[in-house]
Amino acid sequence: MADIIKLLPDHVANQIAAGEVVQRPASVVKELLENAIDAGATTIKLIIKDGGKVLIQVVDDGLGMSATDARLSFERHATSKIQKAEDLFNLNTKGFRGEALASIAAIAHVEMQTKPEKEELGTHLKIEGSKVIFQEATVTPKGTSMAVKNLFFNIPARRNFLKSNQVELRHITDEFHRVALAHPAITFHFYNNGNELFNLPSDNYRKRIVNIFGARTNQKLVPVEEETPIVGIKGFITKPEFAKKSRGEQFFFINNRFIKSPYLHHAIVAAFEGLIKSDSYPGYFLYLEVDPASIDINIHPTKTEVKFDDEHSLYAILRSTVKHSLGQFNVAPALDFEHDPNLQTPYEFKNKSVVQPKVTVDSGFNPFQEAKTRPSPSRSYQKPNTKSWESLYVGMESKMGANDDSESISFESDIITGSIFEGEKETTEAVTTTFQIRRKYIVTTIKSGMVVIDQSRAHQRVLYEKFLKNSTVKQAVSQQLLFPLNLSFSKSEINALQEIEDILVSIGFIFEEIKGESITVTGVPLLVAESEVGMILDQLISDYQQELTEESFSHTDILSKTLAKTLAVKTGETLDNVSQIALVNDLFACKEAMVSPFNKPVYITITENDIDKKFI
Ligand code: ADP
Ligand code: MG
């Protein structure tokens, strides 16, 4: 048999390797920024066009390259950073594989200009799909400029796979944050389509964080510092009250390299235990220094995962260090022994105003009198919006007995008595149509039995449909604020706000100004309290950013969901009778009363049949 194994030509091998190194424009950004840092740059400029699909350019003032090095740098396994295998265990540079430039040049149009300090002339080199188009001497400042154009021009499948410019820019920005946070001494500029997104002067860690995430971040930061033989830790955690519902500002750096580590993340979460709600995440910016020989960063091609020699000790040290900082800065209660957990206020109630218990006296109550017989049905709610009952009806059809008169579902109001549901006092009004169980469910009766409604999900559904409707009708109802509200945000939050401004306006927000790092709000949707505006916008932005990277389909939908979730009554809230009735009516006027905006069941029905069966 003839030999059939052949060595792949270099450009094919490079294309294959590129698949590992370059997933999307953000991967190129990461590699180029890291190369600039490895070259000892003090100022780095990042220029992006159309989410990096058209152009990604990094300009640095680092070492530069000689003409030979310039050409060699695009060869696979060409690196100046290691020479022998042992060097891998003592790495002080970001790169070491010598793969990035070769990979990038295999799948894009690359143009480089570079010059070492001592030389008169620099080198101008152009490569397209691994082919050198030209190389010539040129006048250029010290350092390197690397422009990557038309990414994946020769791999249409990959190009088509790229997301919208906005989504790609989001990924690039995340990558930029990681690099800029790890190197506060380096000055960074970041331009997108000609606009300056970030201008970060050389500074200390705290100022770098504040410059990226906005002035109001400063008050959130609690310093962390610890020196042990295994690890040096410095950096910041955010105060528990600023914990966010979505993951966002969580950064670990090992020897100034951003890493992801679910295990170490857990150590931080453990340190915050009891201080934040279980569905919120603490923010942190933690810089760990370890002996390079004690870690292996070689296990992942894009190098965000790291293997540690002594993970368990690292975990324990990190957890206690963070705990210590929380205590030292009076963020956590210092003494928490003899704490009766029964006396602790659940978080949901912490910021709630006290609800005055209502006591109603039935002046006409006579214990010796027989229970009144009430006309049946004494009051029914069916008429005002007959059509909407259909949605309720649809859900119940299957559960109804064949002999039920399903034509007329009426909400009866004369069945509830205090004796069945212990602790729930029957109001003395002749008629009640709903009641609340455990401040969680609202129960109401229907002809065939009863409906048990999850109050929070029901309200979410009602609000969600309201917001959706408002935004399609284009004439949202807003309430003017007496005094305009000034709120500050980080640059990227402001960008996000600008992107969703139209939608926010369509659901009732009015902005006088969104610029720089602050916004002025003059009107809010009808259901939003002024005191909640900051919190709600925070939530909207972070949900939007999160969903954006997860590629959800409609922004209006995301925002309506978030608003509904944020504003809905929660489990644990007492609802008076009027609100209960209103909620039930509103719910069954919804298009899809059965499920919450998050696809959870909103109510269940229990038919008389079901109940009868229990008594057999
Ligand atoms: P690695 O960074 O793993 O060494 P790269 O493919 O990213 O591999 O780069 C190859 C080589 O090109 C580097 O080792 C370095 O010598 C040189 N190089 C790349 N970018 C720059 C730059 N911005 N300034 C100076 N030298 C650079
Ligand atoms: Mg590199």
Side-chain angles (χ1 to χ4, degrees), residues 35-36 39 60 64-65 73 78-81 95-101 144 146:
N35 278 349
D60 69 55
M65 282 174 264
S73 68
T79 178
S80 54
K81 298 166 193 173
F96 56 86
R97 293 162 181 265
E99 253 173 2
L101 290 189
T144 305
M146 192 78 79

Side-chain angles (χ1 to χ4, degrees), residues 222-224 237 240 271-272 275 319-336:
V222 177
V224 175
I237 46 177
F272 271 86
L275 294 172
R319 200 185 86 157
S320 70
T321 306
V322 170
K323 265 202 148 154
H324 179 72
S325 290
L326 284 168
Q328 198 181 13
F329 289 88
N330 268 336
V331 190
L335 301 172
D336 60 359

Side-chain angles (χ1 to χ4, degrees), residues 571-585:
T571 297
E573 285 186 48
T574 307
L575 296 181
D576 62 24
N577 222 250
V578 178
S579 316
Q580 292 174 28
I581 294 168
L583 179 56
V584 173
N585 283 329

Side-chain angles (χ1 to χ4, degrees), residues 21 31-41 58-66 69-70 72-82 93-104 112-115 143-146 303:
V21 181
E31 294 296 337
L32 298 188
L33 290 177
E34 291 190 346
N35 278 349
I37 290 165
D38 285 344
V58 170
V59 184
D60 69 55
D61 60 354
L63 284 176
M65 282 174 264
S66 69
D69 280 355
L72 254 184
S73 68
F74 289 97
E75 295 294 323
R76 211 137 67 93
H77 307 307
T79 178
S80 54
K81 298 166 193 173
I82 56 173
T93 56
K94 308 267 164 204
F96 56 86
R97 293 162 181 265
E99 253 173 2
L101 290 189
S103 299
I104 293 167
M112 171 163 90
Q113 302 193 49
T114 185
K115 185 180 89 73
T144 305
S145 155
M146 192 78 79
K303 294 165 282 177

Side-chain angles (χ1 to χ4, degrees), residues 253-274:
F253 301 93
I254 303 265
N255 300 351
N256 286 331
R257 182 197 296 273
F258 171 82
I259 58 140
K260 283 185 188 147
S261 169
Y263 185 66
L264 295 186
H265 170 76
H266 191 270
I268 312 291
V269 173
F272 271 86
E273 203 180 301

